[in-house]
Amino acid sequence: MRILFVLLVLQPVILSAQHCGYDFASIIVVHAHRSNSVTVEPRLRITLLDTNNLPAVIHGQEWNRFRPNDGRSILHDRTWQPHFDRYKGHEFPFAGDNYVLVVSSRLDYSGYSILVQDERNGGLGELRRTVVPISNNDVYTLCGRYDEDVYPPMEGRPNFAPVDIILQTR
């Protein structure tokens, strides 16, 4: 009986301790397109590079490949984030048809950059390899915002905008 009483008393504390699935997670969104178009270029290899210009390793894992925000390349277990099905295939609705990478919020991204490669046609794609530096202002927190159609403004930060990368032909 005492155990039941303790559980009933602690229930509000236990429930309020739950957090969103993106605690301590942020997102980098990339809009990679040709100079004469605003349409996102498909099937690119986009990599987050660290301050040494090597593919970023976050907490000991290679966590550096951007993926399309189309919902096809999401985590295998969709049950813990049922909102994926509500947004026409976009994993993060505010990110639109761009490329996305979920990263740790606890890192300093000063000196990091994004590498865009066109590996289509056996690695002989028609677009030049491009490297663009990023800053902490290009990294947006996800907790409480991941399922919104429009990323809300945050005090003390610029409004949400994907990293705009203009690709040139070879």
Side-chain angles (χ1 to χ4, degrees):
M1 188 71 144
R2 288 184 184 174
I3 293 175
L4 182 60
F5 176 74
V6 170
L7 288 175
L8 288 175
V9 170
L10 291 178
Q11 182 180 7
V13 174
I14 293 169
L15 290 176
S16 67
Q18 292 178 344
H19 299 279
C20 80
Y22 290 109
D23 270 351
F24 311 113
S26 292
I27 191 169
I28 302 172
V29 181
V30 170
H31 181 76
H33 60 96
R34 295 175 190 242
S35 60
N36 58 353
S37 173
V38 294
T39 304
V40 173
E41 194 67 31
R43 300 183 313 274
L44 296 173
R45 180 184 179 107
I46 303 178
T47 308
L48 180 65
L49 301 177
D50 65 15
T51 56
N52 296 316
N53 284 328
L54 297 172
V57 176
I58 300 174
H59 301 301
Q61 297 180 357
E62 287 189 18
W63 204 358
N64 52 41
R65 290 288 306 276
F66 284 79
R67 64 182 188 263
N69 187 36
D70 61 10
R72 288 179 289 171
S73 53
I74 59 173
L75 298 173
H76 298 291
D77 180 14
R78 293 170 55 127
T79 59
W80 63 281
Q81 293 174 338
H83 67 279
F84 289 154
D85 291 327
R86 292 187 290 169
Y87 294 102
K88 301 178 185 133
H90 285 149
E91 186 173 352
F92 303 102
F94 63 85
D97 291 329
N98 298 303
Y99 290 87
V100 297
L101 177 64
V102 176
V103 295
S104 173
S105 294
R106 297 180 177 197
L107 293 179
D108 179 9
Y109 292 94
S110 301
Y112 277 62
S113 55
I114 296 171
L115 168 65
V116 181
Q117 297 169 289
D118 185 0
E119 293 188 341
R120 298 174 288 193
N121 193 22
L124 301 171
E126 62 183 79
L127 300 172
R128 288 186 190 161
R129 176 180 168 189
T130 306
V131 178
V132 175
I134 63 167
S135 71
N136 289 320
N137 284 334
D138 296 314
V139 182
Y140 298 89
T141 185
L142 279 173
C143 195
R145 296 170 176 85
Y146 61 89
D147 62 350
E148 299 195 19
D149 289 322
V150 176
Y151 195 93
M154 295 174 58
E155 189 174 329
R157 284 194 46 112
N159 287 341
F160 170 79
V163 177
D164 190 47
I165 299 178
I166 300 171
L167 303 169
Q168 304 295 326
T169 55
R170 292 181 193 216

